[in-house]
Amino acid sequence: MKIPNPYAATCPTRLVLDRVADKWTVLILGLLANGPMRFNQLRRQIEGLSQKMLSQTLKSLERDGLISRKAFPTVPVTVEYSITPLGQTLTSTLDALRTWAESHIGEVLDAQKRYDTVA
Amino acid sequence: MKIPNPYAATCPTRLVLDRVADKWTVLILGLLANGPMRFNQLRRQIEGLSQKMLSQTLKSLERDGLISRKAFPTVPVTVEYSITPLGQTLTSTLDALRTWAESHIGEVLDAQKRYDTVA
DNA sequence: CAGTATCCTTTATGATACTG
DNA sequence: CAGTATCATAAAGGATACTG
């Protein structure tokens, strides 16, 4: 049982980290944590998210086993995305990240302002 | 006091999220959490990290107030990077993320294999 | 509705060479 | 040692049009 070292390029942990460290992953997972949603519902919720990026991100999330896709044979077709148990385990961590961002954004912005005015 | 909505494109929280969700940020911050390090020390520790990316990432981390830079007037110059108190507050959250990746990498890899063989 | 396919632009990153 | 500057390339992303 060897512990993966994320500082090695080939480490699979780093691959996961890279996937999670994705612009849309955190936001999509955050929405699905509250309940299933359909494709265009998600699209409307997340500003600036293009159809292409949504489609792409959903596909990798599904591939990683973090969300699941269910299509209903209505006309036109309805597709519902929901979070998996594995995905659930991630959301609490991501929530913490979101929370950090929300509560420290002010300090970061201040630091940036200081940095920019000195330079 | 309004709560920022990260689902809005203009939300500064999303900017922070994007910055944190950076390939190298998590790894660099993780190393500096254990103590100060010099430029090339960091470079050697993180496989696949180019000089350019390191330099660039360190600069934004410093700008965001998450790390601080101190130069010693030796010949040749020595530069030490260390984590700030603000940066400290982030690392526990990022540790959780790293931990998640390490403990769930197996499940993710399995999910990927299943997905790929069906398709 | 929920996508896919294509083209095209922008951004990110790598390689290399150079400097205080 | 700790960078910066420049060039070249690859990858990411957007816009648009089309389909079951």
Side-chain angles (χ1 to χ4, degrees):
Chain A
M1 187 68 88
K2 61 190 280 244
I3 291 165
N5 166 24
Y7 295 102
T10 55
C11 170
T13 299
R14 208 160 96 178
L15 296 180
V16 175
L17 231 37
D18 288 353
R19 274 283 309 113
V20 167
D22 173 77
K23 185 166 178 158
W24 307 115
T25 296
V26 182
L27 299 171
I28 292 176
L29 239 36
L31 284 177
L32 293 182
N34 301 327
M37 277 204 196
R38 284 177 297 102
F39 187 88
N40 282 322
Q41 246 180 323
L42 285 166
R43 184 148 148 59
R44 276 188 297 268
Q45 289 287 317
I46 306 178
E47 226 179 280
L49 173 55
S50 70
Q51 193 173 28
K52 181 181 178 178
M53 279 298 95
L54 176 56
S55 166
Q56 210 173 295
T57 307
L58 287 173
K59 211 177 287 182
S60 0
L61 285 173
E62 194 196 352
R63 177 168 184 265
D64 290 348
L66 298 171
I67 66 172
S68 66
R69 195 194 104 113
K70 184 156 201 297
F72 298 93
T74 52
V75 179
V77 67
T78 302
V79 178
E80 192 180 83
Y81 289 93
S82 49
I83 199 161
T84 63
L86 180 59
Q88 274 300 0
T89 69
L90 223 199
T91 51
S92 51
T93 302
L94 294 183
D95 272 338
L97 198 57
R98 241 194 315 273
T99 302
W100 186 93
E102 282 170 14
S103 50
H104 295 279
I105 175 75
E107 291 165 78
V108 170
L109 256 26
D110 287 352
Q112 288 181 356
K113 193 177 296 180
R114 268 196 307 280
Y115 186 95
D116 293 345
T117 47
V118 171
Chain B
M1 186 68 90
K2 60 190 279 244
I3 291 166
N5 166 25
Y7 295 103
T10 56
C11 170
T13 299
R14 206 160 97 177
L15 297 180
V16 175
L17 232 38
D18 287 354
R19 275 282 310 113
V20 167
D22 173 76
K23 185 166 179 159
W24 307 115
T25 296
V26 182
L27 299 169
I28 292 176
L29 239 37
L31 284 176
L32 293 181
N34 302 326
M37 278 203 195
R38 285 178 296 104
F39 187 87
N40 282 322
Q41 247 180 321
L42 285 166
R43 183 149 147 58
R44 276 189 297 268
Q45 290 286 318
I46 306 179
E47 225 179 281
L49 174 54
S50 70
Q51 193 173 30
K52 181 180 179 178
M53 278 299 93
L54 176 56
S55 167
Q56 207 170 84
T57 308
L58 287 173
K59 211 175 290 182
S60 359
L61 285 173
E62 194 196 352
R63 177 168 184 266
D64 290 349
L66 299 171
I67 67 172
S68 67
R69 196 194 103 112
K70 184 159 201 299
F72 299 93
T74 54
V75 178
V77 66
T78 302
V79 178
E80 193 180 83
Y81 289 94
S82 49
I83 199 161
T84 62
L86 180 59
Q88 275 298 1
T89 68
L90 224 199
T91 51
S92 50
T93 301
L94 295 183
D95 272 338
L97 198 57
R98 241 194 315 274
T99 302
W100 186 92
E102 282 170 13
S103 49
H104 294 280
I105 174 75
E107 292 164 77
V108 171
L109 256 27
D110 287 353
Q112 288 181 356
K113 193 176 298 180
R114 267 196 307 280
Y115 186 95
D116 293 346
T117 46
V118 172

